[in-house]
Amino acid sequence: MELTREGAYVSINMPELKIEEVKQYFIDDILLIEGKTKTKMNKVHHYITGICMPESILKDRNMIKTEMQVGVYKATLPYVTAEIKIN
């Protein structure tokens, strides 16, 4: 995981998987990334990791941007933006 000005950037090497085979979800402050596939020879490739996210990261699942490049799954999670109301 890498923290940038935009948010948190997470990557995991999953060489045999397609992006459709990878799920990400939260349990409390832990982002879980899991992928599983079966090859033509019935060999199962299963990857799972959990990463504790900082409190300032937005944990709304539909805000996570994902991509797969050359077997590396990448997810970007934005920071929470807080509005300050001044009277």
Side-chain angles (χ1 to χ4, degrees), residues 6-87:
E6 291 78 35
Y9 172 78
V10 177
S11 63
I12 180 172
N13 192 18
M14 300 178 160
E16 294 84 10
L17 273 62
K18 298 176 187 160
I19 195 161
E20 305 85 37
E21 299 168 321
V22 181
K23 300 182 293 183
Q24 73 276 331
Y25 50 95
F26 279 97
I27 296 180
D28 297 323
D29 285 344
I30 298 174
L31 171 65
L32 291 159
I33 301 172
E34 181 174 14
K36 185 189 259 187
T37 191
K38 193 181 274 191
T39 66
K40 293 177 184 176
M41 302 180 79
N42 283 337
K43 186 175 180 181
V44 175
H45 295 280
H46 185 211
Y47 301 90
I48 187 167
T49 190
I51 303 162
C52 187
M53 289 285 125
E55 191 175 297
S56 59
I57 294 296
L58 188 60
K59 295 170 183 71
D60 192 357
R61 204 178 92 180
N62 63 351
M63 295 299 292
I64 300 173
K65 296 177 185 164
T66 61
E67 63 180 302
M68 182 75 83
Q69 290 182 349
V70 194
V72 177
Y73 176 82
K74 299 177 181 181
T76 305
L77 297 87
Y79 281 118
V80 174
T81 56
E83 290 185 25
I84 300 172
K85 194 173 187 178
I86 300 174
N87 293 331

